[in-house]
Amino acid sequence: MSLRPATTVALLALLAATPAVAQPRSGQAAYEEVCKACHATGELGAPKLGDAKAWKPLIAEGQSALFRTSIKGIRKMPAKGGRPDLSELEVKRAVVYMANAGGAKWVEPAK
């Protein structure tokens, strides 16, 4: 069955107007966009990216604990780094990116 030309044009216009589903940010992208403000400088006591000594005890707590505190917030860090629009997946990816820069060997979550 073929569509009439007017129906085809209307369908194509509808598809073009439908916003694309944004892909979740990578850990590096989330870090650059959100986390870098504090984790690049150590602002408010944040462990700096690449500072193995500062990240060692955090890495020892494990991924689950670090994910939980990063999503909910801890000490001076607000939930999701102050960006409620970040998905939990994006926060987890950013945590893995920063922990790996500090010596962890974690795999960035896909989901």
Side-chain angles (χ1 to χ4, degrees):
M1 168 173 109
S2 64
L3 297 174
R4 296 184 320 201
T7 305
T8 302
V9 170
L11 182 58
L12 291 174
L14 177 65
L15 291 174
T18 303
V21 176
Q23 293 297 314
R25 294 167 185 87
S26 68
Q28 182 176 5
Y31 167 80
E32 292 290 333
E33 190 174 323
V34 180
C35 311
K36 186 177 183 177
C38 293
H39 287 279
T41 64
E43 178 103 10
L44 302 175
K48 291 182 184 178
L49 182 71
D51 183 345
K53 184 177 179 183
W55 279 95
K56 185 175 182 175
L58 299 172
I59 293 167
E61 290 179 24
Q63 281 181 292
S64 295
L66 214 49
F67 289 165
R68 187 174 44 257
T69 57
S70 299
I71 291 166
K72 294 182 183 253
I74 186 166
R75 292 180 283 285
K76 295 178 184 175
M77 188 185 101
K80 297 182 178 182
R83 284 285 300 275
D85 62 307
L86 281 182
S87 69
E88 288 189 9
L89 174 61
E90 291 169 322
V91 174
K92 290 176 181 180
R93 287 177 170 181
V95 167
V96 169
Y97 175 77
M98 290 186 286
N100 285 349
K105 302 226 183 298
W106 296 346
V107 176
E108 185 174 278
K111 298 181 186 182

